[in-house]
């Protein structure tokens, strides 16, 4: 029993130390408000311009930091703020969907940010039509 307890306690101690270190380096929390969290392409032709912009505002009292914008789809993240967004200021995240892929658009982009929920899901929807 002693032989099993010691490795467990060491592992628990190690992970609690790593977790405490990560939490202590977090930035102060703030709030964010997007104009919209869903961009609807509607029905668009194959090869159309797939660039769209999500606009947001820091509605909190601390600087807003965008740590990472992640897309698991065929979307490119063209730009995101690299510097903190001060309270009351706006920012943009530009994305590009590959409109050479015919069919429905149902994609999610995840924004990792210093807010209470830690992430914001953004959605793209619509349909790319075949060329006539």
């Amino acid at each position: 029993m002693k032989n099993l307890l010691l490795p467990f306690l060491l592992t628990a101690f190690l992970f609690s130390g790593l977790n405490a270190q990560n939490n202590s380096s977090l930035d102060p929390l703030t709030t964010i408000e997007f104009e919209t969290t869903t961009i609807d392409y509607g029905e668009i032709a194959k090869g159309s311009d797939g660039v769209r912009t999500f606009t947001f505002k820091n509605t909190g009292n601390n600087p807003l930091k965008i740590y990472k914008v992640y897309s698991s789809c065929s979307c490119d993240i063209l730009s995101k703020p690299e510097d903190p967004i001060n309270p009351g200021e706006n920012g943009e995240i530009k994305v590009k969907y590959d409109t050479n892929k015919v069919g429905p658009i149902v994609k999610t982009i995840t924004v990792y940010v210093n807010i209470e929920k830690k992430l914001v899901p953004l959605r793209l929807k619509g349909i790319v039509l075949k060329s006539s």
Side-chain angles (χ1 to χ4, degrees), residues 97-118:
Y97 181 77
D98 181 3
T99 59
N100 288 314
K101 296 182 179 195
V102 174
I105 304 169
V106 182
K107 305 297 179 185
T108 300
I109 296 162
T110 305
V111 181
Y112 294 89
V113 63
N114 63 322
I115 62 173
E116 187 174 344
K117 291 183 180 179
K118 306 290 183 228

Side-chain angles (χ1 to χ4, degrees), residues 40-105:
D40 188 349
Y41 283 79
E43 292 183 346
I44 60 172
K46 179 179 177 182
S48 296
D49 181 15
V51 177
R52 300 293 187 272
T53 303
F54 288 98
T55 303
F56 61 88
K57 183 176 187 174
N58 178 352
T59 55
N61 297 320
N62 294 309
L64 176 72
K65 294 188 179 180
I66 306 290
Y67 300 117
K68 181 178 178 181
V69 180
Y70 176 75
S71 170
S72 62
C73 62
S74 53
C75 310
D76 292 326
I77 309 305
L78 300 180
S79 66
K80 70 172 188 63
E82 296 300 327
D83 295 327
I85 307 295
N86 289 320
E89 291 184 353
N90 295 324
E92 294 182 341
I93 297 172
K94 282 193 179 187
V95 299
K96 181 180 180 184
Y97 181 77
D98 181 3
T99 59
N100 288 314
K101 296 182 179 195
V102 174
I105 304 169

